[in-house]
Amino acid sequence: SQADVFEHTQSHGYTVISADELFSQGLRETGQRLKKDLSGKSVYLCFDMDFFDPSCAPGVCSPTWGGATAREGFEFLRSLSGIDFVAADVNTVSPPHDVGGMTALLAAHVTFEILTLLCNAPTIKSKIT
């Protein structure tokens, strides 16, 4: 069950934010909380395209209704600016399930947003300025 997965993950020291919690607290507010909690830490961002609603990203491994819109996803990513991201990946695009390349195109835009986050990360920014 989802509760078991969350409990197992938390037992290993990870913070879990459910979709219900994310959307009820607000995307920007959650981003601000993460910035505070992760301040001074090097962070690896693993972005799962299953985060999006299938109406925006149909070509994923586990499409689930009720996910974020593209606009919400970009808003959330942008709210993370200033976190010390040192690496990132974008995953779970499934080309055989993609409709007209929608998910692949959205993943490319997500990758651009993440590259922007990396360029603004304190550790990387100090090396390029």
Side-chain angles (χ1 to χ4, degrees):
S1 80
Q2 181 181 10
D4 293 335
V5 172
F6 282 10
E7 186 176 301
H8 174 77
T9 304
Q10 290 167 326
S11 75
H12 290 282
Y14 292 95
T15 299
V16 176
I17 302 169
S18 69
D20 289 340
E21 184 181 356
L22 173 68
F23 288 111
S24 67
Q25 285 184 353
L27 299 164
R28 288 186 185 151
E29 293 78 7
T30 303
Q32 293 301 314
R33 179 178 136 208
L34 288 170
K35 284 169 58 168
K36 181 181 172 195
D37 292 349
L38 298 171
S39 178
K41 297 178 182 175
S42 296
V43 178
Y44 182 97
L45 175 60
C46 179
F47 192 92
D48 193 322
M49 291 298 292
D50 288 335
F51 173 75
F52 292 106
D53 190 84
S55 62
C56 303
V60 296
C61 295
S62 300
T64 305
W65 294 106
T69 65
R71 180 180 300 197
E72 290 168 333
F74 295 147
E75 176 185 350
F76 180 64
L77 284 168
R78 291 172 186 158
S79 76
L80 303 176
S81 184
I83 292 177
D84 198 11
F85 292 112
V86 295
D89 70 75
V90 177
N91 62 67
T92 68
V93 174
S94 177
H97 298 103
D98 205 359
V99 176
M102 288 174 58
T103 308
L105 183 58
L106 181 56
H109 285 275
V110 165
T111 301
F112 174 80
E113 293 293 335
I114 290 173
L115 287 171
T116 302
L117 290 173
L118 287 167
C119 288
N120 289 316
T123 299
I124 294 173
K125 196 171 185 176
S126 69
K127 291 179 181 179
I128 59 175
T129 55

